[in-house]
Amino acid sequence: NKDWASYAADKYNSKYSPLDQINKENVKDLGIVWEWDSPDNILMKTKRYPISIYQTTPLAINGVLFISSSLGTVSAVDGKTGKTIWKYDPEVYNAEGKPAHGGFMHRGVSYWDDGKDGRIIFGTLDGRLIAISAKDGKPVEAFGNKGIVDLTKGLSRTFAPGDYSVPTPPIISNGIIVVGSSITDAGPKSMKPPGDVRGFDVKTGKQLWTFHTIP
């Protein structure tokens, strides 16, 4: 078995796997081994959210799948049985207003491991950067403010929080989390967030640098 450790297979976004067990001759014989229910299904029974797209790509690390839901709940799932090991709900649906562009859609998470400490790192639809333990899904206390960095802070101007979200997994390279964003920038009535790209320390969550995009 080979891990799928990044959103698009690797940091180069190759979207390629060298595994060859499945080929054009035997693909017709594939069947369902297990099915998994997203935590969103339970939430949708109590309150209706404008979920229209499920675009997450699970990571596969040492036999465990790490999956985010459209509402941003992150789950660890046993790759053999489909049983949920743990889940972490950032409760983005409790934020004031809708996410940027008015919808709930999340594409996945990122993984970092220094050989001792495995972390799942992801952005949220209400503008947070969160680090949780890959082992048990608990927030990493040493990262930011008890596992959370407020991404709406540290930019060049203030703006309505609902105009800034991070639905796409960040890239982690050389100990730095590189984070972009999805922003609502139409309309002249109020200041809108900049689309700057930023780097954060993977261990502490400290902001290290900013690349200012063209306004």
Side-chain angles (χ1 to χ4, degrees), residues 10-106:
D10 48 45
K11 293 181 177 65
Y12 304 100
N13 287 335
S14 69
K15 302 179 181 179
Y16 171 77
S17 172
L19 299 179
D20 58 4
Q21 293 99 324
I22 301 170
N23 52 55
K24 63 182 180 180
E25 279 75 32
N26 63 20
V27 67
K28 66 181 184 301
D29 300 322
L30 294 180
I32 296 174
V33 176
W34 52 257
E35 295 182 355
W36 178 77
D37 248 350
S38 166
D40 289 356
N41 292 340
I42 297 175
L43 288 167
M44 292 290 284
K45 291 179 180 179
T46 59
K47 187 174 181 180
R48 181 69 184 176
Y49 298 98
I51 300 172
S52 59
I53 303 173
Y54 197 87
Q55 291 189 346
T56 186
T57 295
L59 303 185
I61 310 291
N62 298 323
V64 177
L65 304 178
F66 297 100
I67 308 170
S68 67
S69 72
S70 296
L71 288 173
T73 296
V74 178
S75 302
V77 179
D78 187 296
K80 289 185 177 180
T81 66
K83 301 296 184 182
T84 299
I85 300 169
W86 56 253
K87 65 179 180 180
Y88 175 87
D89 185 359
E91 299 185 0
V92 298
Y93 42 80
N94 287 332
E96 184 177 348
K98 296 178 181 178
H101 304 294
F104 289 91
M105 180 275 295
H106 200 267

Side-chain angles (χ1 to χ4, degrees), residues 4 17 43 83 143 176 179:
W4 187 275
S17 172
L43 288 167
K83 301 296 184 182
F143 184 89
I176 299 175
V179 184

